[in-house]
Amino acid sequence: MRKLILLATMALAAAVLPSALASAAPAPAASPATTAAAPTAAQLLAKTNSCKQISNGKYKTDEDVSAKTVAVCDANGAVFWKADMDIDCDGQRSTQCNEDTDCCYQDDTAFHQSDGKPLNAAKLPYIVVPSSSSIWKYSSSQLKGGGSCAVIYNGKVEYAVIGDTGPTQIIGEASYATAKDLGINPDPSNGGTDSGVTYICFKNSTVSPIENHANAVSKGEGLATTFVNNN
């Protein structure tokens, strides 16, 4: 009799134990939330079809042209302009950017790295904004050095920072690295493109440190998403 009772007890325990263990086991971890994709070039460009001009007049694209064709346009959370791209090779000397490769090379940039050194045009995607003038003051549009920008060309989007200032009458310039990443010839002597580049700069934004391109991409993608949603 005892043997029968013992066998019955063991059988009952064997039946109960798996379910008890299953209930005690930790729940499977939740799948991580899917990160929303950054806006495409087409989505960004669709928000720049019309221009609420805030510049007092327009800019030239190059020193040797007389026509002033580029306006700076206002939008919700950003300003933008459509221009060419000249190559800025200023800042730290490199194999790509120096007095021999660029006739107009300068060893400084308007804004500096966190260690105080000029930016490196060959490595860092940055854009150039016109120096403040009666046409437009970038600071009046809540833009500043290290600010976040999206640069669009030929279906590609590059996230860059505001890294330098240029002539007061000319617009449309970016670093060697920006051009290279967008598939534009980055050579400072014969590179660039004459048209087809859209620059969108986000108001009240800062990439820190300015030289960290990964941070520029992360920050830019988020601001670009907000720009598309709010315009």
Side-chain angles (χ1 to χ4, degrees):
M1 185 68 177
R2 291 178 184 175
K3 187 175 182 180
L4 290 175
I5 294 173
L6 178 60
L7 289 173
T9 302
M10 291 173 64
L12 179 61
V16 172
L17 185 58
S19 59
L21 290 174
S23 63
S31 300
T34 302
T35 303
T40 64
Q43 289 173 319
L44 288 167
L45 291 177
K47 303 300 181 177
T48 65
N49 285 332
S50 61
C51 176
K52 179 183 177 183
Q53 184 171 331
I54 55 172
S55 55
N56 181 26
K58 297 182 177 182
Y59 287 95
K60 301 191 298 181
T61 56
D62 292 290
E63 185 66 41
D64 58 356
V65 300
S66 57
K68 298 180 179 181
T69 59
V70 181
V72 178
C73 310
D74 195 31
N76 189 2
V79 300
F80 64 89
W81 56 93
K82 300 181 179 184
D84 64 340
M85 182 182 287
D86 298 324
I87 307 302
D88 188 325
C89 234
D90 294 339
Q92 295 183 39
R93 286 181 180 82
S94 61
T95 302
Q96 300 87 349
C97 297
N98 55 66
E99 293 88 345
D100 295 327
T101 61
D102 184 2
C103 67
C104 306
Y105 172 77
Q106 299 180 38
D107 62 359
D108 200 5
T109 49
F111 308 108
H112 292 170
Q113 295 181 165
S114 55
D115 61 4
K117 294 180 180 179
L119 303 182
N120 188 329
K123 292 184 177 180
L124 181 68
Y126 69 75
I127 75 157
V128 181
V129 293
S131 296
S132 297
S133 71
S134 58
I135 301 176
W136 178 56
K137 295 180 180 179
Y138 64 87
S139 59
S140 297
S141 295
Q142 293 78 58
L143 303 185
K144 57 186 175 182
S148 175
C149 302
V151 189
I152 303 113
Y153 176 76
N154 199 24
K156 296 181 179 180
V157 182
E158 172 74 319
Y159 292 101
V161 294
I162 296 174
D164 205 359
T165 57
T168 58
Q169 305 290 318
I170 299 172
I171 203 167
E173 189 175 5
S175 69
Y176 182 106
T178 307
K180 182 180 179 182
D181 287 354
L182 287 170
I184 297 171
N185 179 1
D187 192 309
S189 63
N190 59 24
T193 183
D194 291 334
S195 62
V197 185
T198 299
Y199 303 79
I200 304 172
C201 289
F202 305 109
K203 298 175 181 178
N204 296 309
S205 63
T206 304
V207 174
S208 181
I210 189 174
E211 68 270 18
N212 190 317
H213 183 53
N215 287 355
V217 172
S218 177
K219 170 82 73 171
E221 287 179 344
L223 291 169
T225 299
T226 301
F227 172 76
V228 169
N229 291 338
N230 291 351
N231 285 277

